[in-house]
Amino acid sequence: TQSRRSEADLSQAHLDQATKIAAQKDERERAAEEMTGQLGEIERHIAGAEEATQAAEMELVQHESCGIRVAELRSLVERVGRDKAEVARGMQEKGQDVFRESLEELQAQVKHFAERVMLECTQKVRQARTALSTGEADYHAAIDSAHRLRKDIGETMAAAE
């Protein structure tokens, strides 16, 4: 009876150990499934962050092109100013302040100059300045947006990690 009791105790110990090992196995399988799910979630966050990064890079390229347009408009304003100064200098060199024409001809020229040439130049300068200020505003708004987007992407990446 004692040997049977020993065998029963040994069998019970083996059963307890097998039950414990099965429970550990189940627990580790659940942990593995949970980690697999978390890994999938992280991979989705990374993919989303990569897409956001690509979109931000494209937006940054667009904003940089706006900066180029602003530089072009500034150059145009400078050129118009130089042209205006050059025309004034040319008139002085030609001595156009000496009046050889009749008063009626000079008045017609003045009227034409005031109505056409000056208005066209003034309008071109206004358009260039308006385009310049609009371009600068768009550029600054775009840069601010790109910075915010980059910051959000950084926060998303940090959260994903």
Side-chain angles (χ1 to χ4, degrees):
T1 60
Q2 185 149 0
S3 70
R4 285 187 185 185
R5 195 176 289 255
S6 295
E7 284 180 28
D9 288 341
L10 183 61
S11 293
Q12 185 63 40
H14 285 285
L15 180 63
D16 290 344
Q17 188 176 16
T19 304
K20 184 178 178 182
I21 289 172
Q24 288 176 348
K25 177 186 169 203
D26 290 342
E27 182 181 325
R28 292 222 165 89
E29 285 175 352
R30 280 192 303 274
E33 288 175 10
E34 184 179 319
M35 286 181 188
T36 301
Q38 289 175 350
L39 182 60
E41 179 91 13
I42 289 172
E43 287 174 351
R44 284 190 295 279
H45 284 292
I46 289 172
E50 287 175 354
E51 289 175 12
T53 300
Q54 289 175 351
E57 288 173 354
M58 292 299 293
E59 190 173 337
L60 182 60
V61 167
Q62 290 174 345
H63 297 317
E64 287 172 350
S65 70
C66 288
I68 292 170
R69 180 69 177 144
V70 167
E72 290 172 353
L73 292 174
R74 284 183 179 161
S75 173
L76 178 65
V77 167
E78 289 175 13
R79 192 184 74 207
V80 168
R82 283 192 307 269
D83 290 348
K84 182 180 174 184
E86 188 177 310
V87 168
R89 197 172 31 257
M91 288 178 68
Q92 286 178 345
E93 289 174 2
K94 291 179 182 178
Q96 290 184 346
D97 60 338
V98 177
F99 306 116
R100 295 187 184 138
E101 298 84 10
S102 69
L103 179 60
E104 292 79 21
E105 289 177 27
L106 289 174
Q107 287 175 336
Q109 288 177 3
V110 167
K111 182 178 178 185
H112 172 73
F113 185 77
E115 290 177 355
R116 301 269 184 188
V117 176
M118 286 303 291
L119 288 177
E120 288 175 7
C121 289
T122 304
Q123 184 178 12
K124 287 179 183 177
V125 169
R126 279 192 201 124
Q127 288 173 348
R129 285 183 179 162
T130 302
L132 175 65
S133 64
T134 302
E136 284 179 339
D138 291 344
Y139 174 74
H140 290 295
I143 290 296
D144 291 342
S145 175
H147 287 298
R148 283 193 303 275
L149 186 57
R150 280 191 176 172
K151 181 181 175 185
D152 292 344
I153 288 170
E155 292 174 358
T156 302
M157 290 297 290
E161 290 179 12

